[in-house]
Amino acid sequence: MTTETNTVFDTVKDAFAPMTDALKNLQTMEVPESAREFVKKTASTAKERAAEALAGSEKVTSAIETAVFDGVTEAGKITRNIQQALYQDTEAFFDGIDRLASAKSISEAVQIQGELARARGEALVARAKSTSEYVGKLVTEGAKLAQENMAKAYNKTA
């Protein structure tokens, strides 16, 4: 039985001898210079691309942060302007009541009421015009800034 076991072992050993020799030689096998240079160049290029991608993503993030910050700032301005307009409207309303209360006749009250209505209408038209100009300016500037920032970010990474 020992002889048979040794014979089977030797047969398997002989069958795998080329593989064993190849693995032994693999440890001492030299990698050609061109293969090493190719790997180095590929790794270097990949590293540069990764750095460029990071720089591009940082620019995009910066553009988004700027847009959000500008948006919050403008929202604050708009809110303050709305508050101021409401205050002015309230003041005008109570001033109008005072003026109406000082009327000595119905015809004078009607005249005061007409003047107040005309003044409020003119104020509303002026506000609407100012608001539309302001919003148009914001949209134009925002679109231009976003376009410039995105162009800068993507031109560098492309």
Side-chain angles (χ1 to χ4, degrees):
M1 197 186 260
T2 313
T3 310
E4 287 180 19
T5 305
N6 285 341
T7 307
V8 171
F9 178 73
D10 289 339
T11 305
V12 170
K13 187 177 173 183
D14 290 343
F16 282 98
M19 182 67 112
T20 306
D21 291 341
L23 289 175
K24 285 180 187 175
N25 293 336
L26 185 64
Q27 294 174 356
T28 59
M29 186 176 92
E30 286 194 31
V31 177
E33 179 69 25
S34 61
R36 291 193 309 265
E37 287 301 316
F38 175 76
V39 170
K40 287 180 184 179
K41 185 176 180 182
T42 302
S44 176
T45 301
K47 188 176 177 181
E48 289 173 8
R49 301 274 183 197
E52 289 172 0
L54 175 63
S57 68
E58 287 175 350
K59 287 182 181 181
V60 169
T61 301
S62 177
I64 291 169
E65 287 173 342
T66 300
V68 169
F69 178 77
D70 290 347
V72 169
T73 301
E74 290 304 321
K77 287 179 185 177
I78 290 168
T79 301
R80 283 191 294 279
N81 287 340
I82 290 170
Q83 292 167 345
Q84 185 66 30
L86 289 172
Y87 177 74
Q88 289 171 351
D89 287 346
T90 303
E91 274 189 325
F93 175 75
F94 288 118
D95 287 344
I97 289 177
D98 282 344
R99 285 187 63 199
L100 282 172
S102 68
K104 296 180 181 163
S105 69
I106 292 187
S107 64
E108 187 179 355
V110 169
Q111 181 183 353
I112 291 171
Q113 180 62 35
E115 290 170 0
L116 291 174
R118 186 172 42 256
R120 293 300 345 131
E122 289 171 358
L124 288 174
V125 168
R127 278 190 193 146
K129 182 179 177 184
S130 175
T131 300
S132 67
E133 289 172 357
Y134 180 73
V135 169
K137 177 183 160 197
L138 284 179
V139 168
T140 301
E141 288 175 358
K144 182 179 177 184
L145 181 63
Q147 185 179 20
E148 289 172 357
N149 286 335
M150 292 301 173
K152 288 177 188 175
Y154 287 113
N155 284 339
K156 294 278 183 170
T157 60

